Each structure stands twice: as C-alpha cells, then as structure tokens.
Amino acid sequence: MKRILVTGGTGYIGSHTIIELFKKDYEIDILDNLFNSKITVLDKIEEISGKRPNFYEIDLLEYEKMRELFRDNKYDLVIHFAGLKAVGESVEKPLLYYENNVGGTINLLKCMKEFGVNKIIFSSSATVYGEQPTPKLDETMPTGVGITNPYGETKHIIEEILKDVAESDPEFSAVILRYFNPIGNHPSGLIGEDPNDIPNNLMPIIMKVSRGEIKELSVYGDDYDTVDGSGVRDYIHVVDLAKGHVAVIDKMKPGVLIYNLGTGKGTSVFQMIKAFEEASGEKLPYKVTERRPGDLAEIYADSSKAEKELGWKAELNVDDAMRDTLNYLNNL
C-alpha cells in the first residue's frame, strides 16, 4: 500500500481526488492551512468513502512544521494541490502569489529531498500555455509566453523548477497535470466547490447567482469569434479530473511526464448558462460587460496523450456537471 501526502487536500479538487484514491486503498495524509477550504470536508470524505484521511493543519510556508511532518511519516508520493488560485487577486497581490505558490513549493521539494521522497504529482493549469496560434492545446506546445497574470506565472515557474530538479536527480519523478476548467461536484452532493473567498471561476459564480448571493453573472464580452460571441473553454467534470490523478500513479518513472486533462470540447459561457437553466428550471440573470484584458476567445484541450498513455479520458459532460452541481446546492 502506498502512503500519499496530499497538499491542499480539503480543497475542491483535492477532496474529490482523495475519494478516488481511497477506492484504490491508498493511505492518505492531508496537509492544508484551511485558507480556502473547510475542515468539515473531512467528515464528508469519510461519509462517502468510509475512510478518514489523517489531517495536519500546516501552511507550506511553515518550513519547520513541514520538516517535522516528513520526519515523522514515510511517504511514497506527494500530490501537490495547495496554492492560491484567484487570477484577479494575483494581479493585485503578485508578491503574495509568488511567495505562497512558488515559495511554498520550494519548501515542499526541500522536505521531499531531505527525507527521500522522490515522487510528486503537480496540479498545474492550461494557463501556462499563454497565447497560442490555435485554440486546441497539446503538451508539445511551448509554455510561458503571453501568460497574462501572476497566478499563471507561478504555475509555469513551478513546472520549470520540477524539470530542473528532475534534471539534477536521476531518482526524481514528477508528473505535471495541466487542468482545463474543472466544474461539477461529487454525485453524492456532499462535497463540491465552495470557496471561502470571492469566486473567480464561472461555475461557483453561477452557483452564487442561483442562491441570490450575487445579483447577476457578468459575461465578459459577446463579440468574440466563437459560436455565439462569448468565450469558449474546456469544462471538465471534477470527478474525471480526480480519476486522472489516480491513473497516472502507476505510470510514474524518473523524469517529468506532462499531461493535459480536459474533454477536448469547448463550451461557451452562453451555452453554460443555458445548460444550468435547463437543469434547474430557473432563469439565470446576467449582463454582458467589456472583455477582460488577456482573455482569449477559445481554448480547449488535446488530451489524446493521456488517453493513449494512461488509458484515461473524460467520461462526464457539462449536463452531468450541472446535475451534480444542483444536487450539491440542494444539500448546502
């Protein structure tokens, strides 16, 4: 049995991944500072899976506490989700993002090296691709050019750090998973996306508009060269995303592996609104505003590498995500 340390494990993607890991009988420890998640998620994980992860409330910047954790526990693998992720906030507070995301990862890697942990799966993002001449993105494309915010830059920098560490250490194994746009919730309705901070992503904003916590949804531009003028993104169900992490564990080998995790299909903002309205039976108030600087018209994944090498592909769609989101909303 492998023992896995999951940083940010009480968060949205982390908690769903732990449920999938428990299905494979891995032993799980969570490291999380609860900055953007809730401790009650542990109870929900246990209710769904019948198993409870060990929990340590530690910040990645608390280096000595992390050293103690690694000293006292033997890990086979680290899955690294922890990090700040609000794009707008990263523009306003870049130093906070570089210190937390990059500095915290460096602390983690130092602890791993000191205590002989040689495997890490890193939660990256399609933002590292920056601006590309085509909307269909694959892993062979260059990264780091035209990234429009410090959040995306931190993901790119961490990817480069992992490559450098792998180059320096022949036993080091890193997997970089580039997420597209995670949506949906666990079909039980018990866990889902419920950020403590102001949401930046489309689905949590739709959820807050539906609950009356936000007056209306802002659609940033309706004059793009897309199917209906609104921006098009690749929305992947969080359960599919979680399964991608499990699929890669047994494929790890010294060096760096990189995979896109997406559906390969784009959905526009207006199509997302319509899908939610059809699933819920309610009208979703929205207004069209100006484009946001740096937003691209259309982005979607080429995930054929993950399918070929891992046997993984997305099985759920936007309608599944809307169903599960409403189920979660009804349980809040």
Side-chain angles (χ1 to χ4, degrees), residues 45-74:
I45 291 173
E46 185 174 20
E47 188 174 345
I48 293 167
S49 65
K51 301 174 185 176
R52 190 177 185 89
N54 303 311
F55 177 78
Y56 299 91
E57 187 173 350
I58 300 174
D59 192 294
L60 288 174
L61 298 179
E62 296 177 311
Y63 181 59
E64 289 305 321
K65 286 187 178 180
M66 285 177 57
R67 282 193 74 251
E68 290 176 16
L69 179 65
F70 276 84
R71 184 194 66 205
D72 296 341
N73 300 277
K74 174 59 179 171

Side-chain angles (χ1 to χ4, degrees), residues 2 4-9 11-24 26 28 77-82 119-125 151 155 173-183 236-253 257-262 306-307 309-314:
K2 289 187 174 71
I4 300 175
L5 177 65
V6 181
T7 74
Y12 174 46
I13 301 169
S15 59
H16 285 82
T17 300
I18 287 169
I19 288 166
E20 298 303 320
L21 291 168
F22 272 148
K23 292 178 181 178
K24 300 292 186 179
Y26 294 118
I28 307 297
L77 168 68
V78 174
I79 302 181
H80 181 29
F81 295 104
K119 294 181 177 180
I120 185 170
I121 297 173
F122 173 56
S123 164
S124 193
S125 166
Y151 161 73
K155 293 294 188 183
S173 173
V175 175
I176 294 168
L177 298 179
R178 293 174 179 158
Y179 307 164
F180 281 67
N181 295 67
I183 58 171
I236 176 172
H237 197 296
V238 68
V239 172
D240 279 331
L241 189 59
K243 290 178 178 178
H245 295 75
V246 179
V248 80
I249 291 174
D250 291 333
K251 304 289 186 180
M252 295 183 75
K253 59 185 179 181
L257 296 171
I258 302 173
Y259 297 101
N260 287 340
L261 294 183
E307 182 174 359
E309 296 186 9
L310 307 178
W312 173 94
K313 69 175 180 178

Side-chain angles (χ1 to χ4, degrees), residues 299-320:
I299 299 170
Y300 58 94
D302 180 343
S303 295
S304 58
K305 183 182 177 185
E307 182 174 359
K308 179 182 178 182
E309 296 186 9
L310 307 178
W312 173 94
K313 69 175 180 178
E315 298 174 341
L316 302 168
N317 59 31
V318 166
D319 291 335
D320 296 319

